[in-house]
Amino acid sequence: MPLPSKSPLLSLPGAVPAEGPDEGVAAHYGDPFREQRALADGSGFVDLSHRGVVTVTGPDRLAWLHLLLTQHLSELPPGQATEALILSPHGHIEHALYLVDDGETTWAHVEPGTLEALIAYLESMKFFYQVEVADRTADIAVVHLPAGSIAEADADVVVRETPHGRDLFLPRERLEAFAGAHGPAAGVLALEALRVEAHRPRLGLETDHRTIPHELGLIGVAVHLQKGCYRGQETVARVHNLGKPPRRLVFLHLDGSGVTLPGHGAPVRLASDGPEGRRLGFVTTSARHHELGPIALALVKRNVPLDAALLVDEGTAASQEVVVEP
């Protein structure tokens, strides 16, 4: 069946549609701060049914994925969640997969709009391996439960459990019934604010065409350094040994007096240089946090001093916390 253009949960009271990469689900349901607090307290859920879902089956699936992805997957135990990347030949991040294997099938969800290219690449690399790749987005919806949630999934629902919560691969026809039984619903703005607080990068926001894993702190998270060859490994090894990625991810506390948040790509400069100073980086994601106020993630040049006061966009003062050591 065709993938719906928007989630049926947009019909819930107060639902406001999200824009940009999260188009198709709710940004919030009337009160983003309340929704954040609910997630932080371990209640509610987030509709992520706009994300792509891919499965890999066959006896060679884990060994095959181990060869292609940056993560050690050949001996992945059933039920153990992990993250992995696909890199370009030059080591730049092209895809991010959030994986779990149920003993027979490897499940992954990916960013909206990336699944077609991902499947095309995987199909081109099958060769003689006994694997089958399938786009399951039309029949499977991703739902996120926060850490601490006591909600229980049906026995036939694949669950990907991490320290940040549980991702459910839910049959799409059960989405509305799930919402009725496990509310209150929280929008993606609430989840994004908590993601920024946790310093967790997201493909397409914290990445551009030249981002390498070291800049985002993904070594050891989505990149395993003790495994066989994969595309882009030479860059990973070289930068790891030299210890000098060109940029680094930082967390920003923003001056709260401004009305609007800086958008994706807003320039970051040294405060001492003023708003006309040299651009040293850019904002990747900004959010309003229910406790911290306005916050952001940004990519800046490696040599920006760790204690430097920064200026964002046209004059928003910002202090930085280190995410990736220079």
Side-chain angles (χ1 to χ4, degrees), residues 97-212:
L97 295 85
Y98 300 86
L99 300 124
V100 68
D101 191 88
D102 65 8
E104 296 181 351
T105 301
T106 302
W107 297 76
H109 63 81
V110 300
E111 286 293 332
T114 66
L115 188 59
E116 183 177 355
L118 170 63
I119 288 181
Y121 173 71
L122 294 177
E123 289 286 354
S124 73
M125 301 300 291
K126 285 170 65 172
F127 302 119
F128 55 84
Y129 290 94
Q130 298 181 63
V131 293
E132 293 296 330
V133 179
D135 178 354
R136 299 294 304 277
T137 313
D139 63 301
I140 299 293
V142 179
V143 173
H144 177 78
L145 295 173
S149 171
I150 61 173
E152 295 185 0
D154 294 338
D156 63 339
V157 172
V158 175
V159 178
R160 179 181 177 273
E161 186 164 4
T162 76
H164 305 285
R166 287 178 287 160
D167 298 332
L168 276 54
F169 292 87
L170 183 74
R172 193 170 285 273
E173 69 269 13
R174 300 186 205 170
L175 186 57
E176 291 179 272
F178 181 92
H182 297 90
V188 291
L189 284 183
L191 187 62
E192 283 291 276
L194 298 181
R195 176 182 71 81
V196 172
E197 177 195 18
H199 305 168
R200 301 181 64 221
R202 181 176 171 186
L203 182 77
L205 294 175
E206 277 64 56
T207 66
D208 57 19
H209 67 284
R210 58 191 181 97
T211 305
I212 59 176

Side-chain angles (χ1 to χ4, degrees), residues 77-102:
Q80 180 174 309
T82 192
E83 300 177 21
L85 307 174
I86 292 176
L87 305 180
S88 75
H90 298 293
H92 302 133
I93 299 173
E94 291 189 343
H95 294 282
L97 295 85
Y98 300 86
L99 300 124
V100 68
D101 191 88
D102 65 8

Side-chain angles (χ1 to χ4, degrees), residues 11-30:
S11 64
L12 292 178
V16 174
E19 299 177 348
D22 292 321
E23 183 179 359
V25 295
H28 62 85
Y29 295 90

Side-chain angles (χ1 to χ4, degrees), residues 4 26 57 74 81 89 111 150 179 199 216 226 228 244-245 318 321:
T57 55
S74 60
E111 286 293 332
I150 61 173
H199 305 168
L216 304 183
Q226 306 298 322
K244 294 183 178 180
E321 289 183 11

